[in-house]
Amino acid sequence: SGPSSVPSFFQSGPQMASYNAPLGAPKCSFGSTCDSGVTLNGRGTITNGNEPNRPNTLNSCTDGNSGSYHGDESIDKIVVSQASGNLNDFTEGDVVTISATVWCWSTGAANFIDFYYASDASNPEWTQIGDRQTCPGGGQQTVSAPYTLPEGSIQAVRANMMYLSSNPSAASCTSGGFDDTDDLVITVRPNRTINPSKPSSEPSL
């Protein structure tokens, strides 16, 4: 038989993020999912819930420090995954899902979550994903939204959780005492139909 064909996709498997000091946020290598694990757990310096490497944002967003862990609001985890469930590495043009595990205060009715993406984590310009969402209930909840990966090798997503309906600034931040903003950086392979000459290796940061 003839030589086997070269696959047009890569399968590096699910990835757990680790903190990337130059970027100031957790980052994953190539993979079909990117899971922040415990890197975002908690918020700011709240009682019993100091967030590791706070604030875990790519720009000047900071977290509110009011309240206590799992008595008040926090973003505890962000996961980006292939919307179709396939095992291929993230590639420009793929439809993916961002999911945030959050802690909602009381009934959740006063808590709101915005999602954003940026095509360049080193110089992020944030685009909102879908509409603002309200916590579906109190305590631990998961909220999610789909979006299409733009062009760019080192991209980022952001979750912004608010007490009451604050209006983020141009940098997609809010500054309330119970607000939490967290970013997650993902590595994305080029789409050969868009960028036929783009290298497939991971850029260094």
Side-chain angles (χ1 to χ4, degrees), residues 100-104 135-143:
T101 301
V102 298
W103 190 270
C104 304
C135 273
Q140 187 179 83
Q141 302 288 337
T142 301
V143 290

Side-chain angles (χ1 to χ4, degrees), residues 40-43 46-49 51 66-78 99-113 115 133-143 159-164 178-180 182:
L40 304 176
N41 191 33
R43 167 170 54 83
I46 60 173
T47 303
N48 298 322
E51 182 180 311
S66 300
S68 61
Y69 181 63
H70 287 184
D72 295 286
E73 299 86 345
S74 60
I75 299 166
D76 294 335
K77 179 188 283 193
I78 298 173
S99 298
T101 301
V102 298
W103 190 270
C104 304
W105 176 71
S106 185
T107 65
N111 292 149
F112 300 88
I113 298 99
F115 290 125
Q133 300 188 47
T134 306
C135 273
Q140 187 179 83
Q141 302 288 337
T142 301
V143 290
N160 186 9
M161 185 177 190
M162 296 153 279
Y163 170 62
L164 302 178
F178 295 94
D179 295 352
D180 195 2
D182 287 326

Side-chain angles (χ1 to χ4, degrees), residues 153-196:
S153 55
I154 304 293
Q155 303 185 22
V157 293
R158 164 166 290 180
N160 186 9
M161 185 177 190
M162 296 153 279
Y163 170 62
L164 302 178
S165 189
S166 304
N167 289 316
S169 69
S172 308
C173 304
T174 57
S175 57
F178 295 94
D179 295 352
D180 195 2
T181 304
D182 287 326
D183 298 341
L184 181 63
V185 179
I186 60 174
T187 307
V188 178
R189 293 195 183 274
N191 185 323
R192 293 304 181 195
T193 63
I194 302 173
N195 289 309

Side-chain angles (χ1 to χ4, degrees), residues 5-7 9 13 21 27 61 71 75-76 88 95 99 113-114 125 127-128 135 140 147-148 153 188 196-197 203:
S5 60
V6 176
F9 54 84
K27 175 179 178 288
C61 290
I75 299 166
D76 294 335
N88 297 345
V95 178
S99 298
I113 298 99
D114 289 339
E125 295 184 7
T127 299
Q128 188 166 356
C135 273
Q140 187 179 83
Y147 76 103
T148 301
S153 55
V188 178
S197 62

